[in-house]
Amino acid sequence: MADHNNRYETIVRKLRDHGHKLTPQRLAIVKILAKSEGHPSVENIYDQIKIDFPTMSLATVYRNILLIKSIGEVLELGFPDGSNRYDGNRPYPHPHVICIKCKKIVDPELDSLDDMREEVAAETGFKILNHRLDFFGICSSCGANKG
Amino acid sequence: MADHNNRYETIVRKLRDHGHKLTPQRLAIVKILAKSEGHPSVENIYDQIKIDFPTMSLATVYRNILLIKSIGEVLELGFPDGSNRYDGNRPYPHPHVICIKCKKIVDPELDSLDDMREEVAAETGFKILNHRLDFFGICSSCGANKG
DNA sequence: TTTGCTGCAAATAGTTTGCAGAGAC
DNA sequence: GTCTCTGCAAACTATTTGCAGCAAA
């Protein structure tokens, strides 16, 4: 998809503009982040890259994700159980719907959140900088395959 | 406050109904959960109880919170950085506003969330079971004391 | 008296870090 | 040629678990 190529180019350019070197490992990680629809995990990224780079280290994945986060080009979805999922396509806060069975993560369309932000700011006196909204449930495929 | 006493009684009764023993350590943990407005952390609970029970173990705090969670009487707010905060007053999902400076957590009043749940369910085909909504920002006290 | 609970210490697991060699520019 | 990056292994830290003694009911 054209969007994914754009994302790849955008992130690579931003890395270069910030003076970071473009190693093959780094580019492989960027490529996966840019082209994934499915909010991959660190392990997921690591496994995909090990096919082409058998010596790839998990530490390198962690370090590069940290770097790409620092330039604002990936959204980290950390969960309290310690799992992490990454969105390289929409690196800004947006709601997620998570299937608790198959762990699929979907981006719903919701536009009432901006109103809510203002409502919360007005009510609490906080200056709101960020937010996180997750819905947990059962997706239609998992709901159909009842055990 | 009467509400807090009610919460304490409710949780103790539910523990007894489930056949759990009422040890002094357990009751001390319940008391803190029931009376706290401020969403305490495990360390926070631990430190408060050590004043009266110097031999109290962190493991006991963890085990009892797990138990109280299992009977649905405390809401665990786990954060991706590994920190945890607990709400023994409203043990059901509700939005939170978190100050990123002083770590204060406030419960805002928001009623548009139920509509959102239905909207998401209709749009994605998920059966929504749970949700989590956090706003992050600077509270008015921290905003006033600019460094 | 029975059974579950506590305290201690060790184990666990995802992530981070130190270091020496490799490689982008 | 310089300076960052990588891979490996060790370190880190919040939480969990095994076990022996203790205590609620």
Side-chain angles (χ1 to χ4, degrees):
Chain A
M1 294 195 175
D3 277 8
H4 293 160
N5 286 332
N6 285 344
R7 282 300 298 155
Y8 178 77
E9 296 301 336
T10 299
I11 300 175
V12 168
R13 186 178 339 112
K14 204 153 172 183
L15 282 170
R16 195 172 7 227
D17 289 352
H18 281 75
H20 301 300
K21 295 182 178 174
L22 304 179
T23 66
Q25 294 95 330
R26 179 163 294 167
L27 292 175
I29 292 168
V30 171
K31 190 165 292 178
I32 290 174
L33 288 176
K35 76 160 51 158
S36 302
E37 281 297 349
H39 304 81
S41 66
V42 166
E43 283 290 336
N44 202 199
I45 295 168
Y46 175 62
D47 290 343
Q48 286 186 61
I49 294 180
K50 268 218 298 204
I51 298 170
D52 293 319
F53 294 87
T55 66
M56 162 69 72
S57 160
L58 252 183
T60 296
V61 180
Y62 279 110
R63 277 187 283 225
N64 275 288
I65 286 178
L66 207 64
L67 181 70
I68 301 168
K69 257 199 300 177
S70 77
I71 59 169
E73 290 300 330
V74 70
L75 178 72
E76 183 176 62
L77 283 184
F79 294 93
D81 70 354
S83 62
N84 278 295
R85 303 283 287 270
Y86 295 90
D87 190 336
N89 287 298
R90 297 172 200 79
Y92 44 82
H94 60 279
H96 291 92
V97 190
I98 298 136
C99 178
I100 60 176
K101 283 196 178 173
C102 68
K103 311 301 178 193
K104 176 167 47 189
I105 300 184
V106 171
D107 292 357
E109 299 292 331
L110 281 183
D111 32 48
S112 36
L113 256 179
D114 291 333
D115 298 341
M116 220 179 247
R117 261 176 96 127
E118 284 174 31
E119 196 178 331
V120 168
E123 183 186 327
T124 62
F126 274 59
K127 175 180 181 141
I128 305 297
L129 301 172
N130 201 349
H131 70 264
R132 171 84 181 266
L133 173 56
D134 296 335
F135 293 93
F136 301 92
I138 314 278
C139 72
S140 45
S141 332
C142 288
N145 310 326
K146 285 181 186 169
Chain B
M1 293 195 178
D3 276 9
H4 293 160
N5 286 332
N6 286 344
R7 282 299 299 152
Y8 178 77
E9 296 302 337
T10 300
I11 300 175
V12 169
R13 187 178 338 113
K14 205 154 174 183
L15 282 169
R16 196 173 4 232
D17 291 350
H18 281 75
H20 300 298
K21 294 182 176 172
L22 303 179
T23 65
Q25 293 95 328
R26 179 162 294 166
L27 293 175
I29 292 168
V30 171
K31 189 165 294 181
I32 290 175
L33 288 176
K35 76 159 54 155
S36 302
E37 281 296 349
H39 305 79
S41 65
V42 167
E43 283 291 336
N44 200 199
I45 295 168
Y46 176 61
D47 289 343
Q48 285 186 63
I49 294 180
K50 267 216 302 201
I51 297 169
D52 294 318
F53 295 87
T55 66
M56 163 68 73
S57 159
L58 252 183
T60 296
V61 180
Y62 279 111
R63 276 187 285 225
N64 275 289
I65 287 179
L66 207 64
L67 181 72
I68 301 168
K69 256 200 302 178
S70 77
I71 60 170
E73 291 298 332
V74 70
L75 177 72
E76 182 177 61
L77 282 184
F79 294 92
D81 70 354
S83 61
N84 278 296
R85 304 284 288 268
Y86 295 89
D87 190 336
N89 287 299
R90 299 171 200 77
Y92 44 82
H94 60 280
H96 291 91
V97 190
I98 298 135
C99 178
I100 59 176
K101 283 196 178 174
C102 69
K103 310 301 178 193
K104 176 169 44 188
I105 300 184
V106 171
D107 293 357
E109 299 293 330
L110 280 182
D111 32 46
S112 36
L113 256 180
D114 291 334
D115 298 341
M116 221 179 247
R117 261 175 98 127
E118 285 174 30
E119 196 178 333
V120 168
E123 182 187 327
T124 63
F126 274 61
K127 175 180 181 138
I128 305 296
L129 301 172
N130 201 349
H131 70 262
R132 171 85 182 266
L133 172 57
D134 295 335
F135 293 93
F136 301 92
I138 313 278
C139 74
S140 46
S141 332
C142 290
N145 310 327
K146 285 181 186 169

